[in-house]
Amino acid sequence: MPVNPDQFKSALGRWGSGVAVVTTRDAAGAPVGLTASSFSSLSLHPPLVLFCLALDSTGRDAFVAAPGFLVHLLAEGQQALSQRFAAKGGDKFAGLRYEEGDHGPLLPSCLAALECRTRAQHPGGDHIIMVGEVEQVRLGEGEPLLYFQGRYRRLG
């Protein structure tokens, strides 16, 4: 029996998670970013992480071609940053302060930022599974921004 897509989405919405923004640069050097709803650690030795990139994402071509990317784990109070990068189209970096990382824009005040070299890309249904080897870790302070059943949440 096929799974009902709405029921599947509803079930997955019951999985609470942190919020990640992934950034890189396109072939022309322009910054590209998106909010990734599916991010995970993969391996400790070597240090690998993954995120899933929708085939219809406006940033798909940039991420697929880039030698690397940065994963930003958002802190409580960074909902606006999450929403900015989740929006379709537009210049997500307009008026935004950021530094340059080895593989793209480095966003400020995150709980952690992982600079990754792209290690592999795998087909995954309507997504591409992007695997990165972590080359550098930057740690921040605070509590995590959480997402559960379509809303941002707090610890405790």
Side-chain angles (χ1 to χ4, degrees):
M1 170 185 277
V3 174
N4 175 301
D6 291 332
Q7 194 175 31
F8 182 60
K9 284 176 66 175
S10 182
L12 294 180
R14 285 164 170 75
W15 173 251
S17 67
V19 180
V21 168
V22 187
T23 60
T24 195
R25 290 209 168 270
D26 67 15
V32 176
L34 54 87
T35 298
S37 59
S38 50
F39 163 77
S40 179
S41 63
L42 179 59
S43 168
L44 187 57
H45 301 290
L48 300 176
V49 296
L50 67 82
F51 76 98
C52 298
L53 177 65
L55 292 176
D56 64 356
S57 169
T58 56
R60 184 196 69 203
D61 293 343
F63 281 102
V64 167
F69 54 86
L70 287 88
V71 178
H72 306 83
L73 306 181
L74 299 190
E76 186 177 85
Q78 291 187 304
Q79 294 93 327
L81 194 58
S82 170
Q83 292 166 337
R84 172 189 285 244
F85 283 94
K88 299 281 187 198
D91 181 357
K92 297 174 183 177
F93 291 88
L96 184 64
R97 184 179 60 86
Y98 61 88
E99 298 174 30
E100 284 302 323
D102 290 340
H103 294 294
L106 176 64
L107 304 176
S109 305
C110 296
L111 280 184
L114 310 171
E115 297 202 47
C116 305
R117 178 177 50 85
T118 301
R119 178 84 176 260
Q121 301 173 17
H122 304 284
D126 57 2
H127 283 69
I128 300 167
I129 303 165
M130 301 289 298
V131 177
E133 183 168 355
V134 180
E135 297 180 325
Q136 188 172 178
V137 174
R138 299 171 193 246
L139 298 176
E141 298 291 327
E143 298 292 330
L145 178 61
L146 302 176
Y147 199 74
F148 177 71
Q149 289 193 318
R151 292 186 17 221
Y152 294 103
R153 308 289 179 126
R154 308 174 63 145
L155 285 178

